[in-house]
Amino acid sequence: MFDAVWTNANLATMAGDGLGIIEDGAVASIGQDIAWVGPRKNLPGPATATYDCAGDWILPGLIDCHTHLVFAGDRAEEFERRLTGVTYEQIAREGGGILSTVRATRAATEETLAAAALPRLNALLAEGVTTIEIKSGYGLDLATETAMLRAARRLGEARTVTVRTSLLAAHAVPPGFTQADYIAHVIDTILPGAAPYADAVDAFCDRIGFTPAETDAVFDAARALGLPVKLHADQLCDLGGAALAARHGALSADHLEHANPAGLAAMAAAGTVAVLLPGAGYFIRETHHPDIAAMRESGVRMALASDINPGSCPARSLLLMLNLGCTLYRLTVAEALRGVTCHAAAALGLPDRGMLAPGLRCDLALFRVNRPAELCYWIGGNPCAGRVVGGMSA
């Protein structure tokens, strides 16, 4: 006897290398887990509750594996400046950019941060997201970084969603520190103090961020604390971030607009996932796209994420990223949809979700579309008909 069955549905299971489509299928659960998946005609037994999906498509619950969801304020004024020709890098070097959000975030309480983030989270959940990663990085001191991580975890208590937190203290250098002194502060003070609230450690390795050597030091300290690592890599130039992430066995390296083929091959060999963030490239008008051909050749897994943040991607839609990934980067429909399901799960180190298969967590997203390609095709609108999280309708 199953606890629940979702039937009269078409399934995109993500099995194999494609979408793993099963037409006229069913999904059955026991407790929080999937117990059976297959054609409806082969359903082996009854269930306590049966849900007729009326021909909807069921995908694994969507996973947004790279967000900066918790912050205070906005950067609309900087957006106006960029429209006049001022660059993102120029604003950052003038003390704006990330440091502008740092000032606003330090002035906010933990409760205020969580309340401000809730509408952003709601928008993503409404599109079928069941797991989300949330970074810190707008505090740059122990008290605020910790408050951001706690606020992120509050969101997981306020809504039916799995929240994974990443400590991004190595995001920028705050006033009053040299770069070297701040990295020492991150390693000696912020990492050990904030570690209980973090599921992973991230860093920004780029020409307006931190050097490879500084990033190595942060990652060594993180791994000594038992925390996996992730990396903002090669967004604005090629500093060898892809290879650095691979050397540390990182869960993911994200952005990668300027990553070289050798670094991507090293990621593939290490099992590090390439997280593509087309919304950021679009918003800052980046014309140098990631080398998708080299990623395909190397076999590195490609994920997609919203990168929602106040400066370079104020986008509250993961479905939009499916379209941007296909139109800007020329991903296939299967690559895009696997990028927000099974490959996004791998980018967070969560092997228990991202596919429809027995034994995995019963996180489902239901969509009222005629074929999965519509999720990548439409710009705007939301065809999500419901979510299931841990076997329960959400």
Side-chain angles (χ1 to χ4, degrees):
M1 171 74 75
F2 299 122
D3 289 335
V5 168
W6 292 265
T7 187
N8 190 18
N10 299 301
L11 315 179
T13 68
M14 305 302 156
D17 296 326
L19 295 180
I21 287 175
I22 299 174
E23 295 183 348
D24 193 12
V27 177
S29 69
I30 296 177
Q32 293 189 337
D33 298 331
I34 296 172
W36 185 89
V37 176
R40 176 167 53 155
K41 65 183 181 181
N42 296 339
L43 187 64
T48 302
T50 299
Y51 302 95
D52 187 334
C53 298
D56 290 344
W57 279 84
I58 297 179
L59 275 68
L62 304 190
I63 299 169
D64 196 347
C65 63
H66 181 127
T67 85
H68 303 256
L69 195 76
V70 172
F71 59 86
D74 64 64
R75 306 228 291 265
E77 182 270 337
E78 293 179 7
F79 173 67
E80 289 186 276
R81 289 188 64 199
R82 290 211 308 277
L83 294 177
T84 69
V86 181
T87 68
Y88 180 79
E89 284 188 65
Q90 185 177 345
I91 290 170
R93 294 187 187 281
E94 292 172 355
I98 292 168
L99 292 182
S100 172
T101 302
V102 168
R103 289 189 289 272
T105 303
R106 284 182 174 182
T109 65
E110 180 181 322
E111 292 78 10
T112 301
L113 290 172
L118 199 56
R120 303 169 199 143
L121 177 62
N122 289 342
L124 292 165
L125 301 189
E127 293 187 338
V129 169
T130 56
T131 299
I132 189 167
E133 184 257 19
I134 302 176
K135 304 179 190 297
S136 64
Y138 295 125
L140 310 184
D141 60 27
L142 177 58
T144 316
E145 290 291 302
T146 302
M148 291 184 70
L149 296 172
R150 287 199 303 259
R153 293 197 170 183
R154 281 188 180 211
L155 296 175
E157 297 166 359
R159 293 292 183 268
T160 307
V161 62
T162 299
V163 171
R164 302 292 283 183
T165 56
S166 294
L167 174 63
L168 181 57
H171 198 194
V173 179
F177 286 89
T178 66
Q179 188 149 316
D181 286 344
Y182 180 62
I183 283 295
H185 183 65
V186 169
I187 292 170
D188 296 338
T189 301
I190 299 180
L191 271 176
Y197 307 98
D199 297 306
V201 169
D202 202 340
F204 181 32
C205 181
D206 219 311
R207 65 188 177 207
I208 61 170
F210 296 93
T211 68
E214 291 164 339
T215 305
D216 276 327
V218 171
F219 281 4
D220 286 342
R223 293 168 68 197
L225 290 169
L227 290 170
V229 297
K230 304 165 66 66
L231 184 63
H232 285 61
D234 302 331
Q235 179 184 8
L236 303 173
C237 68
D238 182 5
L239 282 187
L244 186 157
R247 287 199 305 274
H248 286 274
L251 292 172
S252 72
D254 305 21
H255 283 292
L256 300 170
E257 282 87 342
H258 294 267
N260 62 66
L264 296 173
M267 286 175 55
T272 298
V273 177
V275 178
L276 307 177
L277 305 171
Y282 164 80
F283 193 72
I284 66 172
R285 302 179 68 189
E286 173 63 67
T287 58
H288 196 294
H289 296 323
D291 191 341
I292 301 300
M295 292 183 184
R296 288 171 177 150
E297 184 175 352
S298 71
V300 69
R301 292 170 292 180
M302 295 182 287
L304 273 173
S306 71
D307 191 24
I308 178 172
N309 72 77
S312 63
C313 192
R316 292 182 271 199
S317 173
L318 187 57
L319 294 181
L320 174 61
M321 300 310 144
L322 293 173
N323 180 275
L324 293 181
C326 292
T327 56
L328 294 180
Y329 297 168
R330 309 309 292 171
L331 297 181
T332 67
V333 167
E335 286 171 335
L337 292 175
R338 290 173 70 82
V340 296
T341 53
C342 55
H343 292 167
L348 296 181
L350 295 174
D352 66 339
R353 66 197 69 195
M355 298 177 66
L356 304 182
L360 299 189
R361 184 175 165 85
C362 189
D363 286 355
L364 314 176
L366 283 67
F367 294 99
R368 198 143 293 158
V369 294
N370 294 315
R371 56 189 296 161
E374 290 185 41
L375 299 176
C376 304
Y377 163 75
W378 288 107
I379 302 173
N382 180 11
C384 183
R387 296 185 311 136
V388 175
V389 181
M392 302 291 292
S393 294

